[in-house]
Amino acid sequence: MNRRRAGAIVAIALAAGLALRLVRLDVRPMHHDEANQAVKFGALLERGEYAYDAHDHHGPTLYYLTLPFAWVRGQATMASLDEWTLRGMPAAFGAATILLLSLLPASIGRPTVAAAALLMAFSPAMVFYSRMYIQESMFTCFTLTFAIAIGRAMTERGWLWPVVAGVAAGLAAATKETAVIVLPASLAACALAWWSLGSTRSSVAPANSRWWRDAILSLTIAAGIASLFYSSFSIHPAGVVEPFRAAATYFQRGVDSTGHAHAWHYYLRLLAWSSSGGLVWTEALVLVLAAVGGVTAWASFDASRPDAVFWQRYLTASGAFTLAIFSAIPYKTPWNLLPFYGVTIVAAGIGLSALVRATVSRPAHVLLAGAIVIGSAHLGWQAWLASIVYASDPRNPYVYAQTVPDAVRMAARIRDLAALHSGRERMQVTVIAPPDEQWPLPWYLRTMTRVGYWKDLTEAPDLTAPVIVSSSGHAEALDAALGDRYVSEFYGLRPEVLLTLYVERGLWDRFLSRARMGDDAARAAPDKTGGRER
């Protein structure tokens, strides 16, 4: 494959990947994790307030790197923000990861880069989680940059790649605490692949007696960048030590057998095959090609191409190491697969390249090219279904504790009620629910200035607000306390999580009256079909 053809494939993959990641970003209701981080970003946007929380929310890069997106769109307040601004930032990093593949060295082969770009662009998992306001797509971009830079620093001399590695490591560490897993896994894989070359190492790269200077340079840059972010750019200097305090929290969360604990094969099963309600999802193509890449890289040794052998062994081992560690940790959420899946997709490109080399006939090459195009198209179709058509459907395997559309309708109902109240956006709303059942309401009610959140009835003020939202656990007590002064409706928040909306009867009557007037006006509107039957 010549350079022009490979470049064209990467360009097509980038364009398609951007389209899939950016189209209809507001179609899926905000996940409670997204809403929580959106409110945290709102404080930074409006008041310049940010302090790293050692117990939750992960690192600060998500918030600081969203600022330019909000500024470009002219949004300076929490109320003015929307899903396009928040989700557009991780979507951009998801697409940037595709472009990042062009940094791989020529020795790895253009078919590898082209195939990996297509698979990266169309992977349903990569697309779906790039459309969420969470850290994973950024983290994947930074950790893959680190992996490539470390490999190139090992095989090429100069200061460029150690600097890139340091920048990437610093950004990764400032993005998510699991950098302490992914970055060492890349280093271990690189060392193993280098050691496996034996006597051919000298032909891959000239001896470097000053490697320790490169290492110190990378570490210094990484520490400096991470410190800048964790200290809120020197506003909170004590924040530099907070990630060390967070270590115990995340270690305990990782080994805890409750909550989000899943079997060791959770990620592999999720990617290989999922079916529910007549829908089938699979990214087995990527896994099979990655397995081929790993086997061919480690089972044979082409002495005429030791540099290619190094990269093939390094990247396949990096994906395997990271997958093994994440699979061994009981705590699992589906978006955590992205850091190892990014390098696994590169390993899949290595697998396809190995198949190309193993076949010499032109028909066989045409067949392989057709297979990867059809397979990528199938992945892209699944990505569209997962991200647009079934974006919040529990039959979608990438959906996890997802807010259901009913919650968005409840928030819209509250805003409609506020429009009829004398206080408008200052109408008082009382929410009584456990913290995990309050989100994402703070996001959807962000334009309202008098919304109070209480964990239970004992903490709540007197129950006189025009609108009260309650978890199902408090509904019986509220029914008795409110009597016939309020009218109630039921809305879903997440699967099997129900909220009750209580509306003061006078306000409810005004709402019904306005709704009837709207219906009457619609019926009285002239028939624009010219009187013909419709």
Side-chain angles (χ1 to χ4, degrees):
M1 179 181 292
N2 60 41
R3 179 180 298 179
R4 181 176 297 179
R5 188 171 298 173
I9 293 174
V10 172
I12 291 170
L14 179 62
L18 266 172
L20 281 172
R21 285 160 175 79
L22 292 175
V23 67
R24 297 183 64 184
L25 276 175
D26 58 349
V27 70
R28 180 178 48 79
M30 289 285 276
H31 190 277
H32 58 274
D33 284 353
E34 292 181 281
N36 197 297
Q37 299 194 117
V39 171
K40 196 171 181 68
F41 170 68
L44 175 64
L45 178 66
E46 290 184 349
R47 303 183 296 278
E49 296 177 359
Y50 173 80
Y52 173 69
D53 183 351
H55 301 285
D56 213 344
H57 300 109
H58 300 301
T61 55
L62 180 72
Y63 314 107
Y64 282 104
L65 296 182
T66 307
L67 284 173
F69 287 79
W71 294 336
V72 167
R73 299 199 66 209
Q75 297 170 341
T77 64
M78 174 73 179
S80 66
L81 288 173
D82 58 23
E83 290 86 348
W84 291 89
T85 296
L86 297 175
R87 291 170 172 169
M89 190 275 289
F93 274 95
T97 308
I98 304 169
L99 191 60
L100 187 64
L101 299 173
S102 61
L103 295 180
L104 288 166
S107 60
I108 203 168
R110 295 190 186 104
T112 295
V113 175
L118 287 173
L119 297 174
M120 187 85 73
F122 294 116
S123 160
M126 299 297 289
V127 171
F128 188 87
Y129 297 123
S130 292
R131 294 165 55 90
M132 290 185 70
Y133 190 58
I134 55 177
Q135 285 82 0
E136 266 59 33
S137 68
M138 302 169 58
F139 188 58
T140 302
C141 184
F142 298 146
T143 53
L144 186 56
T145 302
F146 175 80
I148 294 173
I150 285 296
R152 299 202 69 161
M154 181 69 78
T155 56
E156 303 172 28
R157 297 298 169 246
W159 56 266
L160 175 60
W161 293 111
V163 168
V164 173
V167 172
L171 290 170
T175 299
K176 203 169 181 191
E177 297 76 7
T178 46
V180 299
I181 295 174
V182 181
L183 301 184
S186 292
L187 289 171
C190 187
L192 177 62
W194 187 253
W195 171 83
S196 73
L197 295 180
S199 60
T200 62
R201 285 194 292 268
S202 60
S203 63
V204 175
N208 181 14
S209 60
R210 298 182 178 181
W211 62 267
W212 55 273
R213 292 188 179 182
D214 292 345
I216 291 175
L217 176 63
S218 294
L219 287 171
T220 302
I221 293 173
I225 289 176
S227 296
L228 275 177
F229 278 99
Y230 279 111
S231 67
S232 302
F233 291 85
S234 302
I235 296 175
H236 302 291
V240 173
V241 301
E242 288 300 296
F244 299 98
R245 293 183 61 244
T249 297
Y250 286 97
F251 176 80
Q252 183 60 40
R253 187 175 299 175
V255 301
D256 193 354
S257 60
T258 60
H260 300 282
H262 295 280
W264 69 267
H265 53 75
Y266 174 75
Y267 296 122
L268 287 174
R269 179 176 53 82
L270 176 66
L271 292 167
W273 183 271
S274 297
S275 62
S276 177
L279 300 176
V280 175
W281 313 82
T282 178
E283 298 192 45
L285 173 65
V286 176
L287 299 180
V288 170
L289 286 175
V292 171
V295 170
T296 55
W298 288 92
S300 60
F301 189 95
D302 186 349
S304 65
R305 302 169 62 245
D307 51 348
V309 172
F310 165 74
W311 279 98
Q312 292 161 7
R313 291 185 173 183
Y314 167 37
L315 293 173
T316 55
S318 181
F321 285 177
T322 314
L323 169 61
I325 296 171
F326 274 76
S327 296
I329 297 172
Y331 181 96
K332 295 179 179 69
T333 53
W335 42 81
N336 277 333
L337 64 82
L338 258 64
F340 76 78
Y341 199 45
V343 72
T344 299
I345 289 175
V346 180
I350 293 171
L352 180 71
S353 184
L355 293 176
V356 170
R357 292 195 307 273
T359 55
V360 294
S361 67
R362 183 173 180 82
H365 288 175
V366 172
L367 184 63
L368 284 173
I372 196 66
V373 169
I374 293 172
S376 297
H378 181 243
L379 290 174
W381 173 241
Q382 292 182 86
W384 173 265
L385 293 177
S387 300
I388 307 298
V389 181
Y390 300 104
S392 59
D393 194 309
R395 294 175 296 173
N396 179 348
Y398 307 103
V399 164
Y400 191 78
Q402 174 61 46
T403 306
V404 298
D406 212 26
V408 182
R409 287 190 284 270
M410 181 180 70
R413 174 62 55 86
I414 293 173
R415 293 194 299 269
D416 290 343
L417 291 166
L420 299 175
H421 190 269
S422 59
R424 298 296 191 269
E425 72 275 0
R426 289 182 52 80
M427 180 187 76
Q428 182 181 352
V429 179
T430 296
V431 179
I432 307 171
D436 63 310
E437 296 186 20
Q438 295 175 1
W439 296 93
L441 280 180
W443 164 257
Y444 285 110
L445 301 181
R446 63 191 181 279
T447 59
M448 302 186 66
T449 59
R450 296 186 64 201
V451 183
Y453 297 89
W454 316 91
K455 290 189 292 186
D456 54 52
L457 283 170
T458 61
E459 294 185 357
D462 59 321
L463 303 176
T464 58
V467 173
I468 299 172
V469 180
S470 167
S471 65
S472 57
H474 300 303
E476 184 176 350
L478 276 173
D479 286 342
L482 300 177
D484 60 359
R485 295 183 295 120
Y486 284 75
V487 175
S488 61
E489 291 185 304
F490 300 96
Y491 291 90
L493 178 68
R494 293 187 293 276
E496 301 181 4
V497 178
L498 195 67
L499 295 178
T500 304
L501 176 67
Y502 294 91
V503 184
E504 186 270 327
R505 187 169 291 278
L507 180 59
W508 179 254
D509 290 342
R510 290 199 296 276
F511 175 78
L512 288 183
S513 177
R514 178 64 61 89
R516 293 192 191 99
M517 289 174 60
D519 290 342
D520 291 343
R523 284 192 292 268
D527 186 352
K528 296 183 180 181
T529 64
R532 297 186 297 272
E533 286 190 16
R534 290 176 288 178

